[in-house]
Amino acid sequence: MIISGKAKLAGVMGWPVGHSRSPRLHGFWLEAYGIDGAYVPLAVPPERAAEAIRVLPALGFRGCNVTVPHKEIAAAAVDHLDETARRAGAVNTIVVREDGSLEGRNTDGFGFLENLKAGAPGWTATAGPAVVLGAGGAARAVVASLIDDGAPEVRLLNRTRARAEALAADIGDGVRVFDWVSRETLLADAALVVNTTTQGMHGQPPLDLSLEALAPAAVVTDIVYTPLITPLLAAAHARGNRVVDGLGMLLHQARPGFAAWFGTEPEVTEELRRFVLG
Ligand code: ATR
């Protein structure tokens, strides 16, 4: 697609950034909506990330996405944090305001919830306890979004319990920490099971979790999307549970940024999914 001298600019900043699917994703939408804009990869090493973020307004950028390992650096580098970014302690979306100041947001939790709602129609966070496995960077936004959306309880388990304790202390009421060894006994009355660990990713062993005790109505989701159907999702599907893959979280978290930078509310469609996977 040809861009003009007036093209609206955005991108994704990370290190490395070559594996990011965001340029394909935003590029698809720019073309689909006929927008004169560009969304480019910004490969910036950690020691230059704060500087690169500060210079976005001078370069005329409308903003950018921020990915690993820059999400916490971005939270410290911007001028304003919205509630989602403050709660997550991390920024994945930066918007340059009209006055040239930088606003940091975190749309990962939004993407997580929108993906679940689209993939498991009728599911709501209020349906019952959620079991969240893992307490790394991705878990934080997931846990906060579930609490904010009305989950009666989030049961948080991590191989390293101290990390789960720290996350629970940050998020506050509604999060209960359990020992990793008790993960299977907590499934019986769960309405949702979420894997936020790296287990099940290509090159990693499957998540070690028997679903024997899982309630038939529970929804199972994985934030890992390489492969799209992780061993966890395959096992849940085989039992008859509803499953939601992790690709949609990536697609939905991108919507607010695209709308802010390019002025159009984009849609997540099957065609988009296929294109981003391709
Ligand atoms: P990020 O912060 O980007 O999410 P991370 O900090 O490496 O990534 O987190 C990965 C998650 O996978 C953590 O919850 C990690 O558990 P620890 O905090 O105990 O490291 C989890 N994880 C990684 N390998 C695991 C394994 N073999 N069994 C269970 N959990 C594992």
Side-chain angles (χ1 to χ4, degrees):
M1 191 168 140
I2 308 294
I3 58 170
S4 83
K6 294 182 187 142
K8 298 167 180 164
L9 303 178
V12 54
M13 195 180 294
W15 185 261
V17 81
H19 64 279
S20 172
R21 291 178 194 252
S22 292
R24 264 181 91 73
L25 162 54
H26 286 271
F28 177 94
W29 279 334
L30 286 171
E31 182 145 330
Y33 299 114
I35 293 168
D36 183 18
Y39 182 102
V40 295
L42 300 164
V44 178
E47 67 275 14
R48 306 206 72 176
E51 177 193 353
I53 287 166
R54 296 299 312 172
V55 89
L56 287 169
L59 289 170
F61 272 63
R62 303 261 173 143
C64 72
N65 282 127
V66 181
T67 186
V68 283
H70 299 337
K71 291 184 178 186
E72 284 82 17
I73 295 171
V78 298
D79 301 301
H80 321 275
L81 291 176
D82 81 353
E83 189 52 32
T84 58
R86 201 171 299 123
R87 217 151 140 71
V91 161
N92 78 333
T93 303
I94 296 174
V95 176
V96 177
R97 290 184 179 175
E98 292 224 339
D99 65 1
S101 65
L102 297 167
E103 179 183 324
R105 306 180 188 175
N106 193 308
T107 67
D108 286 333
F110 169 83
F112 172 75
L113 290 176
E114 288 289 298
N115 182 40
L116 266 178
K117 289 172 184 173
W123 176 87
T124 64
T126 55
V131 174
V132 176
L133 302 156
R140 198 164 281 266
V142 165
V143 171
S145 70
L146 287 169
I147 294 291
D148 292 347
D149 219 42
E153 180 178 293
V154 173
R155 299 170 179 168
L156 184 62
L157 303 89
N158 194 49
R159 178 180 60 175
T160 310
R161 183 175 169 128
R163 271 183 109 184
E165 302 274 9
L167 200 165
D170 283 354
I171 305 288
D173 288 349
V175 187
R176 288 180 67 193
V177 175
F178 292 88
D179 279 331
W180 186 244
V181 293
S182 61
R183 60 198 180 282
E184 280 151 15
T185 58
L186 297 171
L187 299 179
D189 62 339
L192 178 72
V193 179
V194 188
N195 175 45
T196 76
T197 77
T198 48
Q199 301 292 279
M201 204 179 266
H202 280 312
Q204 298 282 336
L207 180 70
D208 179 15
L209 182 75
S210 162
L211 298 178
E212 210 165 305
L214 185 65
V219 174
V220 180
T221 188
D222 204 323
I223 69 159
V224 171
Y225 61 86
T226 52
L228 205 50
I229 301 300
T230 60
L232 171 69
L233 295 184
H237 179 71
R239 296 179 77 257
N241 286 87
R242 286 201 291 172
V243 302
V244 181
D245 69 59
L247 179 65
M249 179 173 170
L250 170 77
L251 305 181
H252 285 281
Q253 65 75 31
R255 285 166 40 203
F258 188 91
W261 307 318
F262 301 117
T264 296
E265 296 277 351
E267 236 192 308
V268 171
T269 59
E270 197 48 46
E271 193 188 356
L272 173 69
R273 271 177 68 89
R274 278 199 301 274
F275 180 79
V276 170
L277 281 173

